[in-house]
Amino acid sequence: MPPPHHTRTLAFSPEAIAEAARLVLAGEPVAVATETVYGLAADATNADAVARIYAAKGRPSFNPLIVHVPDLAAAEHLGIFDDSARALAEQHWPGPLTLVVPLRENSGIAALVTAGLSTIGLRVPVHPAMQALLAACGRPLAAPSANASGAISPTRAEHVLVSLGGRIPLVIDAGATERGLESTIVAATGGPLRLLRRGPIEIAAELIEAGTIEAPGQLASHYAPAKPLRLNARGAAPDEYLIGFGEIVGDTSLSPSSDLIEAAANLFDHLYRADASDKSRIAVAPVPTAGLGAAINDRLRRAAAAP
Ligand code: TXA
Ligand code: MG
C-alpha cells in the first residue's frame, strides 16, 4: 500500500504550480488538469516516481504511459519523428493527440514509463495547468488518467478525490476538462500510421491503416526478454541469471529491502540486464502479490510465457 497522504486541492495558480513542481521533483505524483482528463503526473526520468503512479492507482499491470512535453522540439529529443509523424504533430499540437514513435537512445526516460518497449507515446497538451507544470518542472511528465484502476477517467478535481483521495499529496483544480475524453493515439513507428485509440481528434481515414485499432492495455507488442524465464526461484542453476528480491540475493536484486516501489522501478532495467548477461536463462525470486506486487507479477508471468 502507498503511504497515506492528506490530499490537498489547490486551485490552479502560480503558487499551486510551484508547490506541485516541488512535489514532482521530489518524486511524488501530482494530479493536474489537462484538456482531456485529469492526469496523475510524475517525473518520467525518475523510475521510483513512476512506480508511485502505479502504487497510487493500484493498477494490476504495467502499460506504457504517455509522456507529456511542452512542445514538438522537446518531443523530438525523446522520440524519432518521420515526416508523417511530424506533419500530424504540427497540425494537432498542442492538443489531444498522442504520437507513438521510436524511442531515442539515451532519452533518459525510465524504462517503467514505456513498459520496456522501444517506442514512446508523446503528447503536447494545450491546457495551461499542465503546460505550467511542465515549465516549472523542466522535466518530461508521465501521466495516465488520475483515477484508481477500474474507475472512470476523471474530468473534475472532485472525481480525482473520490478515487485517489488519501493516496496522492495534491490535486491542481482547474475546473471541468474541456474534452472529457482521453487523447487520440496514433502510432508512427514505420509503415503506415496506425490508430491505437480513438479520441477527440479525428484522423483522416486515408492516413490510417484499416482495421488496426487496438484496445488500450491490450497491446500485442509487450517487451519480453529473449531468454527463457523461470518464476519463484529460490536459487539459480549455473546457466541462470538470478534476479533477486528481499532475502533472496541474486546477480542483481529488484529490492534487497523488499520494497515494492523500488522493485517496480527496477523491473525492466533488470530484465534487460539479465537478457544481456552471458547466462542463457533467467530466474526471478518470488515477489509478493499484494499492492504493486500484482503488477510486477503480471509482467513477470507474461515474460515467462513469451515464446
Ligand atoms: O488524454 C490522455 O492521453 C491522458 C491525459 C492525462 O493526457 N493520458 C492517458 O494516459 O490517457 P494513459 O497512460 O492512460 O494512456 C496510455 C495508453 C496505453 O494504454 C497505450 O494504449 C498507449 O497509451 N501507449 C502509450 N505508450 C505507448 C507505446 N509506446 N506503444 C503503444 N501504445 C502506447
Ligand atoms: Mg486511463
Side-chain angles (χ1 to χ4, degrees):
M1 286 300 285
H5 281 286
H6 167 68
T7 304
R8 279 182 301 158
T9 303
L10 295 175
F12 173 39
S13 71
E15 297 72 30
I17 291 296
E19 176 61 4
R22 190 187 66 72
L23 287 162
V24 166
L25 293 175
E28 292 286 343
V30 164
V32 60
T34 84
E35 69 274 26
T36 57
V37 299
Y38 276 70
L40 185 58
D43 179 354
T45 66
N46 177 343
D48 281 344
V50 176
R52 287 195 186 94
I53 291 178
Y54 283 98
K57 283 179 67 93
R59 214 177 200 181
S61 64
F62 297 124
N63 291 323
L65 302 177
I66 294 170
V67 174
H68 300 69
V69 289
D71 51 33
L72 175 57
E76 295 214 42
H77 277 111
L78 304 177
I80 299 168
F81 286 66
D82 63 15
D83 289 345
S84 54
R86 195 171 297 114
L88 278 182
E90 282 169 349
Q91 191 182 351
H92 296 291
W93 281 354
L97 173 70
T98 295
L99 289 167
V100 173
V101 298
L103 178 65
R104 267 189 206 287
E105 265 178 60
N106 305 121
S107 66
I109 296 294
L112 188 57
V113 171
T114 59
L117 297 175
S118 58
T119 55
I120 182 170
L122 291 162
R123 171 159 122 74
V124 175
V126 71
H127 197 287
M130 186 55 138
Q131 276 287 351
L133 186 59
L134 285 164
C137 294
R139 303 277 170 88
L141 297 177
S145 53
N147 53 275
S149 179
I152 302 166
S153 291
T155 57
R156 295 177 172 277
E158 300 83 67
H159 301 167
V160 178
L161 287 172
V162 167
S163 166
L164 295 180
R167 303 169 72 94
I168 58 173
L170 180 63
V171 183
I172 301 294
D173 184 354
T177 65
E178 228 173 279
R179 304 287 195 146
L181 204 63
E182 281 111 335
S183 60
T184 302
I185 305 180
V186 174
T189 52
L193 297 171
R194 288 175 301 129
L195 183 59
L196 299 187
R197 181 169 78 186
R198 292 190 192 280
I201 287 190
E202 288 294 322
I203 301 294
E206 65 271 18
L207 281 178
I208 300 288
E209 192 183 12
T212 53
I213 296 177
E214 298 166 30
Q218 298 192 325
L219 301 170
S221 50
H222 269 299
Y223 168 74
K227 296 173 180 174
L229 184 145
R230 183 168 68 90
L231 301 176
N232 297 317
R234 301 195 163 270
D239 63 341
E240 283 180 332
Y241 182 98
L242 178 61
I243 299 176
F245 179 87
E247 63 188 13
I248 297 183
V249 182
D251 296 288
T252 180
S253 175
L254 290 174
S255 172
S257 62
S258 302
D259 175 347
L260 289 170
I261 297 218
E262 183 184 16
N266 281 331
L267 180 64
F268 289 102
D269 287 325
H270 288 208
L271 287 174
Y272 277 123
R273 218 182 287 174
D275 230 5
S277 77
D278 55 6
K279 302 288 173 66
S280 57
R281 299 188 296 141
I282 305 170
V284 187
V287 176
T289 53
L292 253 191
I296 295 171
N297 278 287
D298 168 76
R299 177 40 47 108
L300 286 172
R301 272 194 304 275
R302 289 172 196 252

